[in-house]
Amino acid sequence: MQKQILIAVVLGASVARADFGSDTALLKKHTDVIVLSDKTGRAQVAVVPQYQGRVMTSTANGAKGTSFGWINKKAIADGKRQPHINVFGGEDRIWFGPEGGQYSLFFPKGKPFDFKYWQTPAPIDWGGWKMTTHTRDRAAFSQNMSLTNYAGTKLNLRANREVRLLNQAQLASSLGGSTRGLRVVGFETDNRITNTGRAAWTKKTGMPSIWILGMMNPSPDTTVVVPFVPGPESKLGRIVNDAYFGKVPATNLKVDERKGVLFFKADGKKRSKIGIPPRRAKNVLGSYDSAGKTLTLVELTLPRGARDYVNSMWETQKNPFAGDAVNSYNDGPLADGTQLGPFYEIESSSPAAALKPGQTMRHLHRTIHIQGPEAVLDKIARRKLGASLSEIKTALIGMALPAGALKAEAGTAEIKG
């Protein structure tokens, strides 16, 4: 399996930003927190074993630095188990797909694909995982579990997950140059599932996938940027799936087929989701926080030639293994007016795990936050995303304004065994 890179960049807003020290202090009032740190203490990552070893937040400038992950302070303080999902937040959590369809892990057999019946599996929603390793810059976790999919197949598996703080050499390699003059924090999660049952996982029984989701702080100015492989649909299929929760309106999604890049609004006000299939996916998606001058990069393993990705659409599917490799979700009000967040997510998935008993699939997901001069960040955005900061900021302005208004506005997975 060949390792490739996926990068995410997020456009933030002029909103109040929590600092890392305040967020970690809140967490420590209610649960155990492991803080990974580099030798200087500037790059830090907060990990919570009780929340399945998820990375809650990080900073590039110590306790007073920006807290990059979205944290649901109310849910954490309440500590009460909720129906459907316990939305604690966090910028890297592990789930398993698919979410919908005839092999869904989130709906009971025979029930309609409606939010009323949607339930996050307990082992990835509530309760701690066993910590197996803890050093200054890494922590590892493990959990045995049994999941039953919509088809009635019982999946016995062991999940292993290690969180590692990235060193300067790794950061420089990802950024394509020196980190001098920049504030940078980076971490990766090494996620693995092993088939501990007696039967192979196949297309007939259902095959799970490793699914990593990063919850970020939304704003009216947040624009997710997704480069894609251009070309005819007859050869490569659709560019983007924008119908997960109803078609995304033109004001929130712009697809530039000529440049091979799309822009997706992530303001936390409109529940919507997009996905890019493996034939179209590149090793980059992203966004930019213009107020905080912060570029966020997410890198992951994207196996060359892999085509079977689980389909998470909330429906009975014609092809349950024609899903997406990368996704972005924008939170918004549900039909009853309540809301899970608000937040938005940048997500990556492994291929469907066609594992025989004893075999293991591996999926890496890496997150890097960079703060510094916009001239430097612009070079990184152009190189990694194929779009300048100016293009990212203004991409969706014209979609929401009358014709002629834009000009004025613009001026201002690996298998072993």
Side-chain angles (χ1 to χ4, degrees), residues 105-148:
L105 296 172
F106 289 72
F107 288 92
K109 185 175 182 178
K111 296 296 184 180
F113 298 112
D114 183 270
F115 186 77
K116 177 181 179 180
Y117 302 102
W118 181 77
Q119 179 62 53
T120 309
I124 52 174
D125 183 58
W126 185 263
W129 286 19
K130 179 182 178 181
M131 185 167 63
T132 58
T133 302
H134 178 207
T135 65
R136 176 182 57 80
D137 59 359
R138 63 185 57 203
F141 308 88
S142 180
Q143 183 77 349
N144 292 310
M145 65 188 75
S146 179
L147 306 174
T148 301

Side-chain angles (χ1 to χ4, degrees), residues 250-263:
T251 53
N252 288 43
L253 178 65
K254 177 183 178 181
V255 179
D256 188 332
E257 295 188 46
R258 182 183 60 83
K259 292 194 66 175
V261 62
L262 66 80
F263 304 89

Side-chain angles (χ1 to χ4, degrees), residues 189-254:
T189 58
D190 187 338
N191 307 277
R192 308 179 191 219
I193 55 173
T194 300
N195 181 349
T196 58
R198 297 181 178 181
W201 299 340
T202 68
K203 288 185 176 182
K204 291 184 178 181
T205 62
M207 301 183 293
S209 69
I210 300 171
W211 186 6
I212 306 299
L213 306 93
M215 305 173 89
M216 309 292 182
N217 296 296
S219 79
D221 301 318
T222 299
T223 302
V224 171
V225 187
V226 187
F228 58 86
V229 177
E233 288 196 12
S234 59
K235 181 180 179 181
L236 298 176
R238 57 174 167 75
I239 294 172
V240 57
N241 178 5
D242 66 342
Y244 277 93
F245 302 111
K247 187 171 178 60
V248 181
T251 53
N252 288 43
L253 178 65
K254 177 183 178 181

Side-chain angles (χ1 to χ4, degrees), residues 24 28 47 66 94 113 139 151 156 226 258 270 304 352 357 377 398 403:
T24 52
K28 288 177 179 178
V47 184
T66 302
I94 186 170
F113 298 112
N156 294 311
V226 187
R258 182 183 60 83
K270 171 67 176 176
R304 187 185 298 271
L377 300 182

Side-chain angles (χ1 to χ4, degrees), residues 325-393:
V326 295
N327 297 89
S328 182
Y329 170 77
N330 183 38
D331 191 42
L334 300 169
D336 62 2
T338 62
Q339 190 164 350
L340 296 175
F343 53 85
Y344 77 95
E345 293 177 319
I346 294 172
E347 311 169 11
S348 75
S349 293
S350 74
L355 301 181
K356 297 177 181 178
Q359 285 190 319
T360 298
M361 171 171 275
R362 180 188 189 198
H363 182 68
L364 295 175
H365 184 100
R366 175 181 289 187
T367 304
I368 304 173
H369 301 289
I370 315 149
Q371 295 180 317
E374 284 199 311
V376 179
L377 300 182
D378 182 70
K379 291 180 180 179
I380 298 173
R382 289 174 183 268
R383 182 168 61 248
K384 299 297 186 180
L385 300 175
S388 67
L389 297 189
S390 177
E391 289 172 320
I392 296 170
K393 294 175 186 178

